[in-house]
Amino acid sequence: GSEKFYEKYVEEFTNRLHKEIILFQTKQKIELLEGRTLKGEEPIILSEPNIKNDPCGLRDIQAIYWLEKAEKKIPSLSGLGIIPVFTRGEVERLESAYDFFLRLRNALHVIGKRKTDRLELNFQPEIAEYLGFGNKSEISSFESLMKTLYKFQKEVYFFIGIYVDYKKSQNVLANLRVSEFKGVKIFHGEKFAYPPTHGNLFTNPDTLNRDIMSIFSACQKFEIEPSKLLLNEIKFASNFLEEDFKTSRSAIEIFLNILKSKKNVGKLLTLMHECEILGKFIPEFGACTYFALFSYHHQYTVDEHSLFIIRELDNLVMGNFEDENILREFQFVSQIHIMILAIL
């Protein structure tokens, strides 16, 4: 067709988007993204994920794309690189995730011979072979498929978190009281911790082990949550952790104090796992990251399942557990940190 006519259509369409979405929908969309993806208690890594509609799937990527397209008229996902909080590599990884999700969804339609978006267990061997992961009779083939999917989902999870944090920092956090603890900015009204505006938190390699653990300890002490921007900085710093991290005296002491304090331990351990700290500190736990059980009785991977158990333990500690008999028995348990270590 006519290129000129198409360009006219795009111009008129994006102008209309700007008026309708920016004025009425941006705040609601950001809150929806945050609520369904970042604030849910259920793990996002599932054994049978819906590629389109589950958290961190195609729909969430598209939501961010269209919000920014309406405001800045970006031509494609790569245009998200103009948002100052993202690096080029982060946007490229989002594009790779989106591409993989689309190929996976297409494969599901071809193999299933119908419109289906849920990657059911019985489809996984054939999908793995179809996408070139290996022979469908080999367990390693569909293990590799699922681990690739899970890694991309976590990339999207962090991207969404950083995007939401950035939007909030532009609007919600602007008028809140701010204090600082070891370089971390604490917004008191929202009870969130953010990285410093300038400079880097982890500049001293000699104290890196202690400094990383101290962030989580401070968040527990002051009852605040590390923002995804802060966790992303910790995740980057995790690349520089060496073998001595798991035997570091200062890190072990802080870690044990976190477990013994009985305050949102499961939540903090989950956040440690998100930014690739927990598996390096406890290698036995790290070995089960993204480890699928391929069982109709288990909805989550081994790492997510274990952390979910510890978050349930938090409910027991706070007296919020639904089973009263277990609550009564639990009051006699004193050394909860040993139970947590056993689970990990």
Side-chain angles (χ1 to χ4, degrees), residues 119-275:
L119 184 54
E120 297 172 6
L121 289 173
N122 58 310
F123 282 139
Q124 290 172 17
E126 286 191 71
I127 297 287
E129 185 172 272
Y130 186 84
L131 292 177
F133 283 91
N135 193 294
K136 64 182 179 182
S137 62
E138 299 289 334
I139 292 178
S140 59
S141 301
F142 41 103
E143 271 186 350
S144 181
L145 165 72
M146 298 310 290
K147 283 187 177 179
T148 302
L149 171 61
Y150 296 149
K151 283 177 184 175
F152 278 133
Q153 282 184 308
K154 275 294 170 76
E155 292 284 358
V156 176
Y157 174 78
F158 257 95
F159 196 95
I160 292 170
I162 293 167
Y163 177 75
V164 169
D165 277 352
Y166 171 72
K167 287 293 186 181
K168 284 170 68 176
S169 68
Q170 301 293 295
N171 304 308
V172 180
L173 303 177
N175 302 315
L176 297 178
R177 184 169 67 87
V178 184
S179 65
E180 199 165 296
F181 178 82
K182 293 187 177 181
V184 175
K185 291 161 62 180
I186 299 173
F187 290 83
H188 290 269
E190 284 280 304
K191 286 201 166 185
F192 265 82
Y194 280 73
T197 310
H198 304 289
N200 196 297
L201 278 173
F202 308 108
T203 53
N204 186 349
D206 295 329
T207 61
L208 180 61
N209 298 336
R210 185 190 66 210
D211 291 345
I212 284 178
M213 280 297 180
S214 293
I215 298 288
F216 294 103
S217 178
C219 286
Q220 186 183 48
K221 180 181 178 181
F222 297 117
E223 296 184 353
I224 53 178
E225 187 170 331
S227 65
K228 286 295 180 286
L229 284 167
L230 178 55
L231 289 175
N232 199 46
E233 198 153 319
I234 296 172
K235 185 181 177 186
F236 179 74
S238 75
N239 294 308
F240 302 97
L241 288 170
E242 296 182 355
E243 189 69 18
D244 66 347
F245 179 48
K246 65 184 180 183
T247 56
S248 164
R249 208 168 185 78
S250 58
I252 290 171
E253 186 178 336
I254 296 168
F255 184 75
L256 286 175
N257 285 335
I258 289 172
L259 300 193
K260 290 175 181 178
S261 72
K262 303 179 184 179
K263 281 166 49 177
N264 289 324
V265 177
K267 176 72 173 175
L268 277 170
L269 291 177
T270 300
L271 295 174
M272 283 185 195
H273 187 49
E274 283 178 10
C275 50

Side-chain angles (χ1 to χ4, degrees), residues 22-58:
I22 297 305
L23 290 177
F24 304 114
Q25 292 191 25
T26 300
K27 187 172 182 292
Q28 292 92 321
K29 288 286 186 185
I30 297 297
E31 288 174 354
L32 180 66
L33 264 176
E34 183 180 27
R36 79 186 230 102
T37 307
L38 307 175
K39 287 190 172 180
E41 290 299 312
E42 300 290 314
I44 60 166
I45 301 296
L46 305 175
S47 57
E48 294 185 304
N50 185 304
I51 307 303
K52 180 180 177 182
N53 293 316
D54 274 354
C56 303
L58 286 166

